[in-house]
Amino acid sequence: MKLFPVPVNIVRSQAAPRPADVSVIVSLYNYGRYLTECLDSLAAQTQANLELIVVDDASADASLAVAEAWLDKHAEAFCGHKLISHLSNMGLSTVRNTAFAHASAPRVFVMDADNMLYPRAIARCGEAMSADAGSAGAYTQLEYFGDRTGLGNANFWNRELFKPRNYVDAMALVSKASWQQVGGYDQLVVDGCEDYDFWCKFVEHDLHCNFVPEVLCRYRVHSKSMLHTQTNPNMASLVLDLSVRHPWLDLTHFRNML
Amino acid sequence: MNWFQRSPAPKDAPDQRALRGDGDALASSAVNFLTKTGLFDREYYLAAYPDVAKSGMDPLHHFMRVGIQAGRSFTSVENIARLWRQVLTEAASEPVAKEPKDASGLHAVIYVMRGGNFFMREIAGILRAGFADAGVAASICHENGDPNPGATHHIVIAPQEFFLLGEGRRFGTDAFISRAVLISTEQIQTPWFARSLVFMLRARAVAEINGQNAEIFRRAGVRAVTVQPGYTARYPAFGPQQKVDEFSAFAGLGRHVRDFDVSSPKLADRPIDLLFLGTSTSRREKLLAGYAPKFAGLNSFIYCLKTNKPIEQGSNPMAAPEVTAALLQRSRILLNLHRDEYTFFEWWRVMQAFWQKTLVVSEPSFPHPVFRAGVHYLEEAPRHIPHLVEWLLRSPEGQAKAEEVRARAFQDFCSRATARMAALTLLEAGAAP
């Protein structure tokens, strides 16, 4: 967590008349063209008492205007909402932390603005958390769409499976208390892998999440961004940073890719 | 059974000598087999691997010396299709096994790798129960164990793993293999199948889990039978699994799923609409991703595992027969999707569903001597599977059809596909010639 305050502007907000059961948080950065699809899929959730928090990270495109226009029409699909904008670009970890901080519900579903959900996604994750008294969160299998069709890497929660790579996407329901307990999302030495780091901290705090073996979340694959990842010039720094933070990881195989 | 197909990354490197066989004679018998059956596709192999032509070697000999160890594929989809086409024209007849005249002196040892796929050990357990059902003593021996000294029959599951990895290598002698029945679980187009030949061709008999493969072996003059694990009352893991709280795979499922009364007679009462269990292939992933918009509205359980390691009990909450049974007992439909363009039927997975009175919906598959599409399971082209599923789950006609088909499948599975029959078939195949 930061010592300095993150300067934000609350663009609009409407408090929930009764406590929300789940806050869905959307991190938004230059994805105005995908935002409507994303928000439509959230409005179609079967989950009752859902609060919407959108945090724009000083997008250069029309993201903020798209969000405002959408809320003008559809805000009533949620029991409350907040549209927040960072005054300058702060990066994904900080966006998510801002959103978590503003979430009023005990459970938070983490979204990126280019992804989508099927209607039962949030409710089904909530059911999984309620079924297991010790649960810190829940995630479903992903459907890849966009530039590639397929399924994600989700599997049952297992420390061993985290060792070589991340297999649990950020798109998940987590308890706000767990987010607090692990100290939120960290900004790594460079951008990227914040979700991997986040789950590693869960493991280190003996927190576990539940896998929902249904395909309920949609992950948009951008061919450009995949290429970018493979040739990420920061990969070596990330591998080193993650290995220092979580010495139990075994990322040696990334060496071959560098 | 593809779920558990393979263990491609053994910790121990295979013994190269064992892989080539003990001598030239053996290597040449494998060459003969691949030629005689038409399995090896010279043009394909030459085209796929440019170094073969450069080497100046005969393609088949190149495969036997180099390709087999490099895990290269040796045949084209078209070639396999042609071969199966020929085999399929012969009507598959329902197996009949002879009773032994006197079972009292018999003892069957079933060899299976301890650290291997849990699926192999599941088959071992069911076969042992099948021998018990037939009144024949049987025991299971792992690679580091000692077989019962009174053994009259030796049955090895997944020989290409058992004889090549770790302690199992000590069993890979002519003296042992020539008295053994080897149960093959590999698909014939794979390099693992080719690897297994050096053992298969020395064995007293080959037991194929797939009837079409057994026929291909027989055509090449190999003594081969079809053996599929089947029903037995002596395998408690597949009995009613009412209490599931200790299974971590169930941790995220609601109480209505966990506490569901598995003796409930009505299929429509089961809490999971649709179950899929299998390892991931790009084909399966594409199909399941395409089904996602429809299936997202169902109560599904879709476990499509990306792995290149054997699924060992203890390492994965799904790797236990009790968990498979518990899921099937709570599911209305088991979906069967082939792993690739080869329409191998994953018979064991499908029969597990018959056993648990779960309706099977599958892509079109090869015929089976007992189980038929439309009677014991329902078949549909991949693009219409979601429509069929919808009809089966939602409409009264569909629900009635589902009840009828799953009841018939259960009835015939218990009477016509028994573990006892599998055991008798193995006894007969393993008898001294």
Side-chain angles (χ1 to χ4, degrees), chain A residues 118 120 124 127-128 131-132 141 143-144 148-153 155-156 158 210-211 213-216, chain B residues 249 251-253 256 258 285-286 288-289 292-293 296 298-306 315 317-318:
Chain A
Y118 286 112
R120 293 168 54 248
R124 184 63 191 84
E127 196 184 301
D132 177 5
Q141 186 56 277
E143 173 203 336
Y144 289 150
R148 199 183 121 201
T149 305
L151 296 183
N153 300 313
N155 198 347
F156 289 94
N158 181 341
N210 292 96
F211 172 44
E214 299 191 47
V215 186
L216 296 176
Chain B
L253 300 180
H256 67 291
R258 285 188 268 172
E285 282 199 32
K286 281 203 179 84
L288 288 169
L298 306 177
N299 296 307
S300 67
F301 192 110
I302 295 174
Y303 192 65
C304 189
L305 177 64
K306 298 190 192 198
S315 70
M318 298 292 287

Side-chain angles (χ1 to χ4, degrees), chain B residues 44-291:
Chain B
Y44 168 84
Y45 191 69
L46 271 170
Y49 305 104
D51 61 313
V52 180
K54 277 187 213 140
S55 75
M57 285 167 77
D58 171 74
L60 181 47
H61 285 95
H62 184 280
F63 174 68
M64 291 305 295
R65 283 190 157 275
V66 182
I68 202 168
Q69 281 151 39
R72 290 182 171 184
S73 58
F74 59 92
T75 192
S76 61
V77 181
E78 298 75 21
N79 188 47
I80 292 286
R82 248 191 323 268
L83 195 62
W84 275 332
R85 196 63 245 161
Q86 292 165 12
V87 174
L88 289 176
T89 52
E90 317 211 333
S93 55
E94 192 167 341
V96 193
K98 273 189 242 148
E99 302 281 336
K101 286 198 190 89
D102 178 17
S104 62
L106 301 180
H107 185 106
V109 177
I110 302 158
Y111 300 82
V112 66
M113 258 183 71
R114 184 188 294 280
N117 257 319
F118 86 99
F119 158 70
M120 306 297 177
R121 284 180 297 142
E122 187 174 293
I123 291 184
I126 287 171
L127 289 178
R128 180 172 58 181
F131 280 108
D133 291 345
V136 176
S139 55
I140 290 176
C141 179
H142 295 298
E143 66 275 21
N144 47 1
D146 292 311
N148 186 306
T152 54
H153 288 71
H154 304 271
I155 293 145
V156 182
I157 298 178
Q160 69 289 355
E161 288 179 8
F162 189 79
F163 292 136
L164 284 177
L165 307 178
E167 291 291 301
R169 281 184 279 219
R170 67 199 166 98
F171 290 100
T173 62
D174 275 336
F176 178 82
I177 293 177
S178 62
R179 287 182 297 140
V181 180
L182 308 187
I183 298 188
S184 166
T185 53
E186 297 295 342
Q187 302 193 0
I188 56 170
Q189 75 278 15
T190 61
W192 305 297
F193 177 83
R195 278 188 180 193
S196 72
L197 278 177
V198 294
F199 306 112
M200 300 295 178
L201 300 177
R202 282 189 279 175
R204 182 162 287 173
V206 171
E208 258 291 345
I209 207 149
N210 177 300
Q212 281 78 28
N213 286 0
E215 179 56 29
I216 289 171
F217 269 109
R218 283 194 292 270
R219 288 185 164 211
V222 177
R223 192 170 177 189
V225 291
T226 308
V227 168
Q228 294 180 326
Y231 176 76
T232 170
R234 289 178 214 256
Y235 194 68
F238 284 160
Q241 294 291 345
Q242 187 57 56
K243 290 202 165 43
V244 294
D245 279 358
E246 79 254 36
F247 301 153
S248 57
F250 280 76
L253 300 180
R255 286 252 67 104
H256 67 291
V257 180
R258 285 188 268 172
D259 297 343
F260 173 71
D261 177 3
V262 296
S263 68
S264 172
K266 224 174 132 202
L267 189 63
D269 289 343
R270 294 188 176 189
I272 299 171
D273 294 323
L274 185 96
L275 174 66
F276 174 86
L277 301 172
T279 47
S280 156
T281 63
S282 67
R283 183 171 187 281
R284 282 176 171 163
E285 282 199 32
K286 281 203 179 84
L287 287 172
L288 288 169
Y291 297 157

Side-chain angles (χ1 to χ4, degrees), chain B residues 354-386:
Chain B
F354 294 166
W355 194 335
Q356 306 306 337
K357 302 182 194 172
T358 308
L359 177 70
V360 173
V361 168
S362 174
E363 298 188 67
S365 304
F366 284 154
H368 187 276
V370 175
F371 302 112
R372 302 193 187 281
V375 179
H376 300 97
Y377 62 96
L378 297 175
E379 205 172 76
E380 188 46 270
R383 84 170 276 176
H384 290 307
I385 279 179

